[in-house]
Amino acid sequence: LNRYLHAAGPPPAEALLEHLIQQSPAIPDQDTQDAVSFIFNNVSSNNVSEKATELKQKLSPEYFPWLAQYLVHKRVCVEENFHAVYLKFVNALKVPGFETYCLTASFNTCQILLKSDISSKNEKKMLKNIGKWIGSITLARNIPILQKQLDLKGVVLEAYQKGKLLPVVAFVACVLQACKVSRIFRPPNAYVMLLIRLLVEIYKIPDISTNIVFEVEILVEKELGLQISTIKPTNYLRDLEQCPTPNPDVAANAKQSTAPSAPQSAPVVTSAPEIRVQIDPALTLFTENPQFVKVVHHAIEKALHEIFEALLNHFVVITCATTFNLVTKDFATEPNKQRIHEAAHLMVKNLVGNLISITCRDLLRTGIEQNLNSMLQNPPVADPKVVAANVEKVAADNLDMACQFVEYRAMEQAVITIEKQLNNMGPNTPASNPYQRFLPSYLCADSNGLQPHQWRVYEDFSRIANSSVSPASVQLPIAATNTYPTQPIHPTQVPVNQAGARGRTASQEFHEKFKSSLQKFDAAATQSLSKELVHNFGQHILTLIVNEETCLRIVETLFYRLYTCNNDTFLELYAFFLYKIAQKYPGIVIKLTDVYKLLPQERKFDRAVTVFLIQFSLLNIPEFDSHIASLLNNGNQQAFDFALYIMRRCITDFGYINQTQLSRSIEAIERLQSKPQRPKPVAPTIAAKEPRDVADFIFDNQKSQNEALAVFDEWCRLVSGTDSSGDSDVAKRNYLKNPLLNSLLAEKMPQFFALCTTVAVQKYLAGCGSASLDAFAQLISLLFEDSLASGGHNKLAAGLINTALSAVAFTLESNFNASPTEFNQQPYFHLLSSWLNKLMPLSENQSEVLHWQLLILFSNVFVALQPNKIVGFCFAWVELISHRNFMPKLLNHPSQKGLVKFQELLVELFQYLEPYLRNHEMTPVIQLLYNGTLRVLLVLVHDFPEFLCDYHFAFCDVIPPSCIQMRNLILSAFPRNMRLPDPATPDLKIDRIEDIRKPPNILSSYTAALQRNKFIHEVDSFLENRSPASFLQDLRSRLLLPPQDAYANDTKYNVPLINSLVLYVGIFDLNQNGKSTAPFEMFRSLSRDLDAEGRYWMLNAIANQLRYPNNQTYYFSGILLRLFSETNDEFIKEQITRVLLERLIVSRPHPWGLLITFIELLQNKRYSFWNYHFIHCAPEITRLFYGVAKQSPFPIDEQNKP
């Protein structure tokens, strides 16, 4: 192991700690280990003695050294909040020598962590936790830390020389925090004061990192109650050599601030990151064969070189052009050129580092794996699955290091390029900025350059840490040369224009050679196809590629052949040749994908070609998936059939890809299948062709159209009374017997109704009024009445209405697509509302079945005309779905099937509003639509509150977080038969309310997001069996969106999945009556491990369940308060308060459960709410909290206020 570690470089600290546990003298069997893990999972301060006794019964004395190492590594290092419980547990064991075992295990763990790179967030957190633990079991108990156990002073001095002060100072500070409870090791103890003076010396280093300053101040002044100004620093660091540049312990902008003023002077040379291979000790293929470590090194180098060739110059050009344009605009009046160069360097390094890190990660992983598989010839392990698993693990472990190397090279090259561009830039004058006169004064630079608040925008680039390489650490090297050229180097004696001309001529020559060779190959392959022929021609293609232009021309020719070839054998051969080219030039895949997306539909949906493209990895699958999903979301029927075929062939039949790679397309198909399609007419009273396509609404000859137009004109004159005589109603009914009209209804009903709609709308838009629209509406109504009066079947009458609605929907969509900006929704609204007013009462009086059929028909039409498809119809659409003859009838239907239909319509409305509300694009039009939506919700809250209660989950899933009042409106609904207890009632006992134990009715499919990719099975497994053990560690990554979806949704988290997970876990816990601790462990883990954004979504999901009195409201209120009480992180408490407060400071109504939870938080002294810093961090915040407290419907105990 030592030989391997020396050869391969330092492995991850966690791997060494795991290895340390396995080196214990005696290791219990797996069942015993599981039993020990179960005991620690369930131990608390209330059952320490009981669990300690149980553990001694399970574990023999010879296993206690293993137990000590397990306790330190698996528990102490990762569970900071349970240190006090574990200390009690160690005391309660009362096993002689066990405390010594724990001390030894703690110091061993500490030494391993200190010797590691301490680069990952996890290692830094483990080091701080072990520091607090060591302090609590030594100094806090008046036990000294011997120098042979842990030399704290030596650790700090070594960290100073290696540039690891930040994590080490934080570790030492955590150890010394225990001094405040010690009787011996508290200031002015000589040992403690020496360490504090050393930390003060570090504190006073110029340009030292702000985080180090913060750690020292917290320890000295807050924890130990001393004043830094009164402490004399040591002189230990004076004679030591500090870590060379770049030093992570020094502030990021320190080097820039001390740089010489001349812009032409070359910045300091810095060393690039080293390729240090990391291999898990558990990988036997490499531990038993150390010579393979060099193979890994070569594989990584080759993958890096391929990335440099494919992507480096491309991204450098993009980012440098962007940076140059922005900097020259912003610094048009800047007199200090050094400042211009400094800003440009900061910006271009951030842009190129982030851009290339996002793009190259997957390509690097694939490249390393492919190189390893090709280089590991005849491995000693016979099982190919073992070899593949080892290769994948090695690639994953070294991926971050490789990405860091790529980012560094990209930043270095970008700085070289931008420096050349800036040196060639002409003098800046105020007149050279064309944007100056168009900008407000706040955004304009004055005559002396940028204003301070504008300069901070560029300073912020030095604090952005999205990439694995700090942009401030990459400087311009003295030798500004391109280390990795993307094209062969031409002789420098040739002038640039001649070299370019010769290059183009050479490209054309090689391309012509290729086309000639391809023709010969086709002829030879037609006569006799062999592997040798294919292999030789593939190698010949690679020799013809002399530069990028030649490569693109050859790829273009082969790609064109794919769509013009009728022979499957040649189709596969051309795809294979493209695959060989893509292996050597990975960037080709991205270009092929871009070309594929621009193909016409007849080629894009060529099934055979697409299958081969996927089989040979010639398409970027995430881009392909996103493109097909967008086509599906736009209702492309060809895309629907095509996607189903591709999934069946490439996933089910051949397994070229898996379901997760086409997750967006699968979700789009599921949405389409779950939605009712555009209504298709059922055959009416007379045999009529059911309209299925556009042609079904268009007359096939002009004569038939003229006859139909004459019939409709005559009907319009009759209705308007122009030619009427006698009883107009009798005349109208007699006209229905017109043979020509009956012939049209029998043979051309869809075309006739579409023509009537078109003519009536055109007359309305021409200023002729609504007479034609009313005439057409009356025609359909009379035909409907006549069908019912003649004893026709309900299905036939419904078919008539279905055909009419389909014709209107077809005409509406056609006119909108033809001219979206000039579309007028009023005539269509007039027509549809007329039918709602006339047909709904008629059908309701006829029969319940017919009434329901018409409701469904109108629902389907409204789904087909939703705002996301027909934007110009949105106002009329909202008016129609809330019509008095539609919405109440649908929601009050005895079968309750109408609830699902109206929920779908309301979700469609929320989904249309969501991007505008999320991005705060509240134009007057959107504001008007938003207000109309609120009015619809107010009607629902008042008249149909149960509907909002039953579907609250589906609505909250699509309402953006900024729409707090809209969400409160939905969550404040409660059943009409319930009387809410007044939250201001003194001594209100929530647990004694009759309804608080009853489960609410939830009709939304809250498990849908969990069921995708079978994630729900993993959740169930953890909740029931606590397996797999790594579930909580992997949970955060499972909640993230793919990068392309994250950009589209303005969040990296899958919010519907978080909402689903929170409610599902809560319902599981309620069904188990709280017997398992796994649900709360999951909530606690999420609150601790998620970042601020993820934690906000999780807390919002919990707050969405704080509604009317029911067992879920009571449960989630308790979860929120328990998280607030048990966490030691004040930032988490602040986030919980924010989620509650932002829902209370908006206008009423406020959900009952939200009020009850906030009352408990404010009034219960156990939460010490008014004592936290964030309450008093600013006078405005303090006034806000007191203002909310005064305006709340409950009194605040004055004793609880500070």
Side-chain angles (χ1 to χ4, degrees):
L1 177 64
N2 289 334
R3 183 179 75 252
Y4 152 70
L5 292 178
H6 178 73
E14 293 187 54
L16 290 178
L17 292 175
E18 189 67 37
H19 180 72
L20 190 62
I21 294 180
Q22 301 303 322
Q23 294 302 309
S24 301
I27 302 176
D29 57 61
Q30 189 61 45
D31 291 340
T32 306
Q33 292 184 33
D34 293 340
V36 171
S37 178
F38 182 79
I39 290 173
F40 277 104
N41 284 339
N42 293 277
V43 68
S44 66
S45 56
N46 299 326
N47 62 1
V48 167
S49 300
E50 175 188 343
K51 294 298 179 182
T53 304
E54 183 181 350
L55 181 64
K56 286 192 288 186
Q57 294 173 354
K58 297 276 187 183
L59 211 60
S60 304
E62 65 268 19
Y63 297 131
F64 280 106
W66 170 86
L67 176 64
Q69 190 63 47
Y70 168 84
L71 174 64
V72 172
H73 175 211
K74 295 292 188 180
R75 299 293 172 173
V76 168
C77 286
V78 296
E79 298 179 357
E80 175 190 356
N81 298 334
F82 283 84
H83 281 189
V85 176
Y86 294 145
L87 278 173
K88 290 182 181 179
F89 189 86
V90 171
N91 295 333
L93 275 177
K94 298 178 181 178
V95 174
F98 185 69
E99 293 187 5
T100 305
Y101 294 150
C102 289
L103 270 174
T104 303
S106 301
F107 289 128
N108 289 341
T109 300
C110 178
Q111 294 292 351
I112 289 175
L113 289 171
L114 289 172
K115 289 180 181 179
S116 68
D117 290 339
I118 326 178
S119 56
S120 69
K121 181 180 178 181
N122 194 33
E123 289 177 352
K124 293 175 183 178
K125 185 176 181 181
M126 292 173 67
L127 188 61
K128 291 181 70 173
N129 289 346
I130 197 65
K132 291 181 181 179
W133 173 258
I134 289 175
S136 61
I137 63 176
T138 55
L139 301 182
R141 296 184 172 188
N142 304 313
I143 299 173
I145 300 176
L146 303 180
Q147 186 176 12
K148 64 180 182 180
Q149 294 173 325
L150 180 62
D151 183 8
L152 289 177
K153 184 185 77 172
V155 165
V156 174
L157 297 180
E158 184 181 357
Y160 174 77
Q161 293 178 296
K162 293 184 176 181
K164 297 196 295 186
L165 272 181
L166 179 55
V168 170
V169 167
F171 162 72
V172 174
C174 289
V175 175
L176 296 182
Q177 282 179 11
C179 296
K180 63 183 179 182
V181 297
S182 174
R183 287 186 293 111
I184 297 177
F185 297 100
R186 63 168 52 184
N189 177 276
Y191 170 77
V192 175
M193 289 306 300
L194 177 66
L195 293 173
I196 292 176
R197 289 175 58 207
L198 177 57
L199 294 180
V200 172
E201 183 182 1
I202 295 172
Y203 174 85
K204 295 189 176 181
I205 296 175
D207 298 320
I208 196 67
S209 171
T210 307
N211 290 335
I212 297 177
V213 172
F214 178 75
E215 292 287 353
V216 176
E217 287 178 349
I218 291 294
L219 170 68
V220 177
E221 297 187 347
K222 184 177 179 180
E223 298 292 342
L224 301 181
L226 303 176
Q227 293 296 323
I228 294 180
S229 58
T230 62
I231 300 174
K232 181 182 179 181
T234 60
N235 294 318
Y236 290 130
L237 306 181
R238 183 175 54 188
D239 300 326
L240 294 179
E241 182 180 352
Q242 194 175 5
C243 173
T245 306
N247 186 355
D249 298 330
V250 177
N253 57 352
K255 288 186 284 295
Q256 282 91 345
S257 62
T258 59
S261 59
Q264 290 81 5
S265 60
V268 181
V269 181
T270 60
S271 58
E274 298 179 3
I275 300 180
R276 294 180 8 180
V277 178
Q278 295 184 2
I279 297 181
D280 193 333
L283 300 181
T284 56
L285 176 62
F286 295 93
T287 55
E288 296 175 2
N289 302 275
Q291 69 275 14
F292 285 168
V293 176
K294 293 183 178 180
V295 176
V296 176
H297 193 282
H298 292 319
I300 295 174
E301 281 187 334
K302 184 178 178 182
L304 289 172
H305 188 71
E306 292 169 349
I307 290 293
F308 295 147
E309 286 186 337
L311 299 177
L312 188 65
N313 273 11
H314 177 65
F315 288 144
V316 168
V317 169
I318 292 174
T319 53
C320 286
T322 304
T323 302
F324 183 82
N325 288 327
L326 289 175
V327 168
T328 52
K329 172 182 70 70
D330 290 345
F331 292 85
T333 59
E334 177 60 54
N336 186 355
K337 276 201 170 185
Q338 174 61 27
R339 209 179 189 198
I340 301 176
H341 286 247
E342 181 182 343
H345 290 181
L346 286 173
M347 184 176 188
V348 76
K349 286 183 288 191
N350 268 275
L351 290 180
V352 76
N354 285 278
L355 184 60
I356 203 166
S357 66
I358 292 173
T359 309
C360 76
R361 193 171 186 86
D362 290 337
L363 295 175
L364 268 177
R365 180 190 289 109
T366 304
I368 294 173
E369 290 178 0
Q370 290 178 349
N371 293 336
L372 274 177
N373 286 324
S374 62
M375 292 178 180
L376 289 175
Q377 300 295 335
N378 301 321
V381 181
D383 188 358
K385 293 183 179 179
V386 175
V387 176
N390 278 257
V391 167
E392 290 178 3
K393 181 72 168 101
V394 168
D397 290 345
N398 292 277
L399 186 59
D400 289 337
M401 178 271 298
C403 288
Q404 182 179 2
F405 197 93
V406 171
E407 290 174 39
Y408 184 95
R409 287 299 182 202
M411 292 180 186
E412 184 182 51
Q413 185 66 26
V415 171
I416 296 171
T417 306
I418 196 67
E419 188 70 15
K420 291 178 181 178
Q421 294 178 358
L422 291 175
N423 290 335
N424 295 331
M425 182 177 62
N428 289 352
T429 61
S432 65
N433 183 1
Y435 310 97
Q436 185 84 8
R437 60 193 180 92
F438 299 109
L439 298 176
S441 58
Y442 181 79
L443 298 177
C444 289
D446 55 30
S447 58
N448 295 322
L450 292 188
Q451 303 175 43
H453 69 274
Q454 296 166 336
W455 173 249
R456 280 198 297 271
V457 174
Y458 286 90
E459 286 183 330
D460 286 342
F461 280 118
S462 64
R463 293 185 284 273
I464 297 175
N466 289 337
S467 60
S468 57
V469 179
S470 173
S473 68
V474 181
Q475 300 294 330
L476 178 66
I478 292 177
T481 59
N482 187 353
T483 311
Y484 298 95
T486 60
Q487 296 183 5
I489 301 175
H490 297 285
T492 56
Q493 292 82 0
V494 180
V496 175
N497 56 350
Q498 294 181 20
R502 292 183 184 180
R504 286 191 295 273
T505 304
S507 299
Q508 293 173 356
E509 290 178 358
F510 280 107
H511 185 234
E512 292 299 329
K513 288 182 180 179
F514 167 73
K515 290 197 294 185
S516 175
S517 301
L518 185 59
Q519 291 177 355
K520 295 177 181 178
F521 170 80
D522 290 346
T526 303
Q527 295 179 359
S528 175
L529 184 62
S530 64
K531 291 184 178 179
E532 183 179 1
L533 176 64
V534 175
H535 174 76
N536 291 339
F537 187 71
Q539 295 300 319
H540 176 65
I541 292 175
L542 298 180
T543 61
L544 293 175
I545 299 177
V546 294
N547 54 32
E548 183 179 359
E549 184 180 355
T550 308
C551 179
L552 292 178
R553 288 190 175 195
I554 292 175
V555 168
E556 181 183 359
T557 301
L558 289 172
F559 192 72
Y560 175 77
R561 285 291 187 98
L562 290 176
Y563 290 98
T564 56
C565 173
N566 297 322
N567 188 311
D568 288 346
T569 302
F570 280 95
L571 191 63
E572 185 174 4
L573 289 173
Y574 297 147
F576 173 75
F577 295 145
L578 285 171
Y579 166 72
K580 298 295 290 184
I581 298 174
Q583 275 190 311
K584 188 172 182 180
Y585 304 98
I588 293 300
V589 174
I590 299 175
K591 296 183 182 297
L592 285 177
T593 308
D594 292 338
V595 173
Y596 175 84
K597 292 193 294 186
L598 298 175
L599 289 174
Q601 288 198 8
E602 61 270 13
R603 288 195 170 182
K604 183 182 298 180
F605 296 147
D606 189 313
R607 300 180 178 185
V609 174
T610 308
V611 169
F612 278 120
L613 291 175
I614 294 175
Q615 175 187 351
F616 288 100
S617 303
L618 296 173
L619 291 178
N620 184 298
I621 297 301
E623 287 288 330
F624 173 78
D625 180 36
S626 177
H627 181 62
I628 297 301
S630 66
L631 295 176
L632 291 169
N633 291 330
N634 291 332
N636 191 315
Q637 184 60 39
Q638 282 185 277
F640 182 85
D641 299 333
F642 170 76
L644 289 179
Y645 177 84
I646 295 299
M647 290 172 189
R648 184 175 70 253
R649 299 292 290 174
C650 295
I651 298 177
T652 307
D653 295 347
F654 298 117
Y656 297 145
I657 53 178
N658 55 49
Q659 290 186 4
T660 57
Q661 292 177 277
L662 294 181
S663 57
R664 298 188 70 190
S665 299
I666 293 173
E667 291 177 7
I669 288 176
E670 290 175 351
R671 284 195 297 269
L672 289 174
Q673 290 178 332
S674 63
K675 293 180 182 180
Q677 301 299 312
R678 177 174 296 177
K680 294 185 173 67
V682 182
T685 54
I686 40 186
K689 179 186 175 183
E690 182 180 349
R692 296 183 179 273
D693 202 353
V694 174
D696 292 332
F697 293 99
I698 301 174
F699 283 97
D700 52 5
N701 60 77
Q702 189 65 37
K703 180 181 178 181
S704 300
Q705 181 174 335
N706 292 336
E707 292 176 353
L709 188 59
V711 170
F712 183 61
D713 285 341
E714 186 177 353
W715 169 256
C716 290
R717 288 193 299 271
L718 179 63
V719 171
S720 62
T722 304
D723 296 332
S724 62
S725 59
D727 190 350
S728 61
D729 187 56
V730 173
K732 294 174 188 174
R733 295 191 179 279
N734 289 335
Y735 187 80
L736 297 182
K737 301 176 183 179
N738 185 316
L740 190 54
L741 173 61
N742 287 320
S743 174
L744 288 170
L745 293 176
E747 299 176 2
K748 303 287 185 179
M749 180 184 288
Q751 294 91 326
F752 177 59
F753 286 168
L755 178 67
C756 294
T757 307
T758 302
V759 172
V761 169
Q762 288 176 350
K763 288 185 177 180
Y764 179 89
L765 297 177
C768 300
S770 60
S772 297
L773 292 171
D774 294 333
F776 181 43
Q778 285 191 43
L779 175 63
I780 300 300
S781 300
L782 288 174
L783 288 172
F784 181 74
E785 290 181 23
D786 190 60
S787 175
L788 297 177
S790 61
H793 195 274
N794 290 340
K795 186 176 181 180
L796 301 178
L800 173 74
I801 303 303
N802 194 8
T803 306
L805 291 174
S806 298
V808 173
F810 165 77
T811 307
L812 188 155
E813 186 172 359
S814 300
N815 290 341
F816 174 77
N817 292 334
S819 181
T821 57
E822 299 178 3
F823 179 76
N824 191 331
Q825 58 191 318
Q826 292 181 356
Y828 303 99
F829 169 74
H830 184 96
L831 197 57
L832 293 172
S833 60
S834 298
W835 285 339
L836 284 173
N837 287 325
K838 184 68 176 178
L839 300 179
M840 284 302 172
L842 286 174
S843 63
E844 191 173 13
N845 295 332
Q846 177 67 20
S847 72
E848 183 180 316
V849 174
L850 180 61
H851 184 57
W852 171 247
Q853 288 178 337
L854 261 63
L855 286 172
I856 291 299
L857 291 177
F858 274 98
S859 299
N860 293 344
V861 168
F862 294 153
V863 169
L865 301 177
Q866 60 182 274
N868 276 316
K869 293 183 178 179
I870 314 294
V871 179
F873 193 62
C874 61
F875 284 98
W877 189 85
V878 174
E879 187 86 10
L880 289 169
I881 67 167
S882 57
H883 196 282
R884 66 180 184 275
N885 282 331
F886 178 74
M887 183 176 77
K889 306 297 183 182
L890 199 62
L891 296 176
N892 281 329
H893 195 270
S895 67
Q896 295 191 346
K897 295 179 182 178
L899 301 177
V900 180
K901 289 291 182 182
F902 195 73
Q903 175 258 343
E904 183 181 355
L905 292 171
L906 211 52
V907 167
E908 298 286 1
L909 176 58
F910 291 147
Q911 287 178 339
Y912 173 73
L913 285 171
E914 191 269 341
Y916 298 101
L917 301 178
R918 169 163 47 87
N919 298 320
H920 306 287
E921 298 177 9
M922 296 302 288
T923 62
V925 174
I926 296 300
Q927 183 68 53
L928 187 61
L929 186 62
Y930 175 75
N931 292 338
T933 306
L934 287 181
R935 288 173 181 164
V936 174
L937 289 176
L938 282 171
V939 173
L940 292 172
V941 169
H942 185 269
D943 294 341
F944 305 98
E946 292 86 357
F947 169 72
L948 294 179
C949 294
D950 295 345
Y951 289 99
H952 83 285
F953 181 84
F955 298 144
C956 290
D957 238 8
V958 293
I959 295 177
S962 56
C963 297
I964 299 171
Q965 187 180 17
M966 179 181 286
R967 190 189 298 107
N968 277 357
L969 200 57
I970 293 171
L971 298 179
S972 61
F974 61 92
R976 283 171 286 186
N977 59 0
M978 176 182 290
R979 184 174 182 180
L980 289 183
D982 187 358
T985 303
D987 300 325
L988 178 65
K989 303 297 182 183
I990 306 299
D991 54 346
R992 296 183 182 178
I993 298 176
E994 180 181 357
D995 296 312
I996 206 67
R997 302 294 179 186
K998 297 179 181 178
N1001 189 29
I1002 299 180
L1003 298 182
S1004 304
S1005 178
Y1006 63 89
T1007 62
L1010 284 171
Q1011 287 173 342
R1012 297 192 185 102
N1013 302 327
K1014 300 181 180 179
F1015 184 44
I1016 192 171
H1017 300 317
E1018 299 178 38
V1019 176
D1020 287 337
S1021 177
F1022 177 78
L1023 293 175
E1024 295 171 1
N1025 308 315
R1026 293 180 180 273
S1027 65
S1030 61
F1031 177 81
L1032 293 180
Q1033 297 176 0
D1034 300 337
L1035 183 56
R1036 178 183 179 276
S1037 62
R1038 297 297 300 272
L1039 301 178
L1040 296 175
L1041 285 170
Q1044 64 271 19
D1045 289 344
Y1047 178 80
N1049 292 281
D1050 289 340
T1051 175
K1052 60 186 176 184
Y1053 286 95
N1054 188 337
V1055 179
L1057 181 60
I1058 294 177
N1059 293 340
S1060 181
L1061 177 66
V1062 166
L1063 183 56
Y1064 183 78
V1065 172
I1067 291 176
F1068 175 88
D1069 200 12
L1070 286 170
N1071 293 337
Q1072 297 292 319
N1073 296 321
K1075 295 178 182 178
S1076 173
T1077 60
F1080 184 72
E1081 281 188 28
M1082 191 179 298
F1083 289 128
R1084 182 169 56 195
S1085 173
L1086 287 172
S1087 67
R1088 182 180 62 238
D1089 298 339
L1090 290 174
D1091 58 12
E1093 182 188 359
R1095 192 183 303 113
Y1096 175 77
W1097 292 119
M1098 189 269 289
L1099 295 174
N1100 253 317
I1102 294 177
N1104 286 344
Q1105 313 310 320
L1106 303 179
R1107 303 187 291 148
Y1108 62 91
N1110 59 66
N1111 65 348
Q1112 291 180 14
T1113 297
Y1114 187 53
Y1115 172 81
F1116 283 105
S1117 176
I1119 290 293
L1120 210 57
L1121 293 172
R1122 187 176 174 187
L1123 289 175
F1124 187 95
S1125 173
E1126 294 189 4
T1127 182
N1128 293 326
D1129 190 341
E1130 189 167 328
F1131 181 68
I1132 297 179
K1133 298 178 186 286
E1134 182 178 352
Q1135 273 201 293
I1136 294 174
T1137 306
R1138 173 202 169 176
V1139 169
L1140 296 175
L1141 185 66
E1142 69 182 7
R1143 296 176 180 230
L1144 289 171
I1145 59 177
V1146 299
S1147 301
R1148 291 185 176 89
H1150 300 132
W1152 181 87
L1154 186 72
L1155 290 171
I1156 289 298
T1157 305
F1158 202 61
I1159 290 172
E1160 182 69 13
L1161 190 61
L1162 294 180
Q1163 288 193 330
N1164 197 326
K1165 296 180 180 179
R1166 64 175 292 198
Y1167 302 115
S1168 305
F1169 179 79
W1170 299 100
N1171 297 333
Y1172 291 110
H1173 171 71
F1174 63 84
I1175 302 294
H1176 310 283
C1177 61
E1180 299 84 2
I1181 299 297
T1182 306
R1183 286 195 297 270
L1184 175 63
F1185 276 105
Y1186 286 136
V1188 172
K1190 289 179 182 179
Q1191 295 174 11
S1192 299
F1194 49 86
I1196 300 299
D1197 189 354
E1198 292 295 330
Q1199 296 179 357
N1200 286 338
K1201 294 183 181 181

